[in-house]
Amino acid sequence: MNRGLPSTFLTFHSSSFVELLKEYDPTLLPAKRAAETFGEAPHGTTIVAATFAGGVLLAGDRRTTMGNLIAGRDVDKLTITDDYSAVGFAGTVGISIDMTRLFVVELEHYEKIEGVPLSLEGKSNRLAAIVKGNLPMANAGMVSIPLFIGYDLEASDPARAGRIVSFDAIGARYEEKSGYQSIGSGSPFAKSSLKKLHDPGSDDAATLSALIEALYDAADDDSATGGPDMVRRIFPTAIRITAEGAYRYTEEELAAVADAVVARRSADEPGVRSFTAS
């Protein structure tokens, strides 16, 4: 007895939840739902990622904007998508949230159907397909770009198993061989910072500090990027992925790193030091 379930749910087509949704009700896909949106929508930036010895880190600022206005100060733009991967999004916030949720379900659906998790390359390919599906809205100006990180369980060298994959608006994927990447409006400044700060042989603590400092640099020159807010105690978010799995840093851990970065930068800038002393 099927209890009235649609025939779509009773026939096996593929292990892709996105394909299932297309057949059942395409209007539930992010691009279709966003088509009903009008007016200016909040946008989020900036996301940074870097590898270290034994894993990979992802961090993001907390600010969202609507034109020249700050729409939000404490938005979390990072999501742990499964035990060994995570995603950060820059762009239209509403679409980004829908795309992230769809990607999480896509990974869960595949594992339930196939009995095994997707490979790291398979995950990034599935995410690329989701990004490509949003192309109509991207052409209308509602762009959402992900930055994907993961730990490759099949890597020959566990110390170099951290992976970073970036995408463009049409769904093309690029594995970042340099070991660091940034997306969003503050990305030129964050990436320039990481070019000098990133050390693939360092540990996770040093790499997290480098990412927070890169976001500090981005916020210094990009008005859409929010740096550490020392008054409201709002700090960037961060996720670490190693052979042990994914870990989201606590607010207390991030506050300690941000405090150290700001204190060091304040001591290095004469104008800040003289102002503080007065």
Side-chain angles (χ1 to χ4, degrees):
M1 183 176 180
N2 63 28
R3 299 182 182 277
L5 286 173
S7 59
T8 306
F9 296 121
L10 304 176
T11 305
F12 177 79
H13 296 280
S14 77
S15 56
S16 171
F17 181 77
V18 174
E19 295 302 319
L20 176 67
L21 206 57
K22 283 181 181 178
E23 182 172 342
Y24 173 64
D25 188 352
T27 63
L28 295 177
L29 291 168
K32 299 295 184 181
R33 295 177 62 188
E36 300 176 0
T37 304
F38 58 91
E40 196 163 17
H43 281 68
T45 59
T46 298
I47 308 297
V48 292
T51 59
F52 61 90
V56 60
L57 271 161
L58 182 70
D61 81 312
R62 308 289 293 276
R63 178 173 293 176
T64 59
T65 60
M66 291 179 63
N68 65 320
L69 301 177
I70 296 176
R73 302 179 188 275
D74 59 353
V75 178
D76 186 357
K77 307 166 190 175
L78 311 183
T79 302
I80 294 175
T81 49
D82 69 3
D83 291 340
Y84 296 99
S85 67
V87 167
F89 272 93
T92 307
V93 174
I95 293 178
S96 299
I97 292 173
D98 279 352
M99 289 172 65
T100 303
R101 290 173 177 170
L102 181 59
F103 181 54
V104 171
V105 177
E106 175 83 344
L107 298 185
E108 293 176 349
H109 182 76
Y110 179 91
E111 188 167 351
K112 288 178 180 178
I113 296 297
E114 300 294 339
V116 294
L118 264 171
S119 65
L120 195 63
E121 184 174 0
K123 294 172 189 177
S124 62
N125 283 334
R126 291 296 176 95
L127 181 54
I130 292 174
V131 175
K132 186 175 182 179
N134 189 58
L135 184 56
M137 294 310 301
N139 288 334
M142 303 186 73
V143 181
S144 180
I145 302 294
L147 188 60
F148 174 79
I149 67 167
Y151 185 89
D152 188 358
L153 296 171
E154 301 175 359
S156 57
D157 182 4
R160 297 289 181 264
R163 300 285 184 266
I164 302 171
V165 181
S166 62
F167 305 81
D168 60 24
I170 63 174
R173 53 182 290 274
Y174 311 92
E175 184 171 349
E176 302 299 335
K177 302 295 186 180
S178 62
Y180 61 89
Q181 182 58 285
S182 178
I183 59 172
S185 65
S187 60
F189 312 107
K191 195 171 181 179
S192 294
S193 179
L194 287 173
K195 184 181 293 186
K196 299 177 181 178
L197 297 173
H198 176 246
D199 177 6
S202 64
D203 60 14
D204 57 327
T207 304
L208 177 61
S209 179
L211 290 182
I212 300 300
E213 190 147 358
L215 289 172
Y216 185 108
D217 284 331
D220 217 20
D221 290 294
D222 175 42
S223 61
T225 303
D229 190 329
M230 310 309 290
V231 175
R232 299 181 180 87
R233 304 299 290 173
I234 300 173
F235 304 103
T237 53
I239 293 171
R240 179 187 68 218
I241 303 181
T242 63
E244 285 71 44
Y247 173 77
R248 180 181 288 275
Y249 286 90
T250 66
E251 289 188 9
E252 291 74 19
E253 290 171 321
L254 292 164
V257 176
D259 285 339
V261 168
V262 172
R264 182 170 65 251
R265 295 291 292 264
S266 298
D268 290 341
E269 297 184 20
V272 176
R273 183 168 64 247
S274 61
F275 177 80
T276 303
S278 64

